[in-house]
């Protein structure tokens, strides 16, 4: 049985949140290397650092994933959800 931690945090207007499955961190390149959590999170921070739109963040992350993966087979699920707080 999986155990999960619960935490509270506050989002301010314009803040983004990215949710993803572990399949992204386990993504392999054609050479057999793994994307890894650190590299993926670095890509998330880079893509979201200018407070761009959800569409821009998702487009950049998807492009980075496609570039890394190349023609390698998928061996796990891939899921990303990008949310942005807009109090309107």
């Amino acid at each position: 049985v999986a155990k999960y931690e619960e935490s509270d945090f506050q989002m301010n207007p314009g803040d983004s949140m990215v949710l993803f499955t572990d399949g992204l961190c386990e993504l392999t390149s054609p050479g057999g290397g793994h994307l890894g959590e650190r590299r993926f999170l670095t890509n998330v921070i880079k893509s979201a650092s200018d407070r761009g739109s959800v569409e821009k963040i998702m487009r950049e992350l998807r492009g980075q994933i496609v570039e890394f993966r190349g023609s390698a087979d998928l061996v796990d699920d891939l899921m990303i959800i990008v949310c942005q707080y807009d109090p309107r």
Side-chain angles (χ1 to χ4, degrees), residues 31-75:
H34 284 32
L35 180 61
E37 186 174 345
R38 178 170 288 191
R39 189 181 330 194
F40 180 68
L41 291 176
T42 298
N43 290 342
V44 168
I45 291 167
K46 180 179 167 187
S47 296
S49 64
D50 66 356
R51 293 184 171 263
S53 69
V54 168
E55 293 83 6
K56 177 186 171 290
I57 295 168
M58 185 63 114
R59 185 174 49 253
E60 288 182 8
L61 290 174
R62 184 175 187 281
Q64 293 163 1
I65 291 164
V66 168
E67 181 179 334
F68 179 83
R69 181 176 156 240
S71 61
D73 290 336
L74 289 176
V75 295

Side-chain angles (χ1 to χ4, degrees), residues 17-43:
M17 178 172 51
V18 178
L19 307 169
F20 57 94
T21 58
D22 64 344
L24 281 160
C25 299
E26 297 166 359
L27 191 65
T28 56
S29 69
H34 284 32
L35 180 61
E37 186 174 345
R38 178 170 288 191
R39 189 181 330 194
F40 180 68
L41 291 176
T42 298
N43 290 342

Side-chain angles (χ1 to χ4, degrees), residues 2-3 5 9-10 15 22 25-26 30 32 36 40 55-58 62 70 72 81-83 85-88:
K3 294 186 179 188
E5 290 184 31
F9 60 93
Q10 182 174 343
D15 285 352
D22 64 344
C25 299
E26 297 166 359
F40 180 68
E55 293 83 6
K56 177 186 171 290
I57 295 168
M58 185 63 114
R62 184 175 187 281
I81 299 173
V82 180
C83 306
Y85 178 53
D86 181 352
R88 291 182 276 155

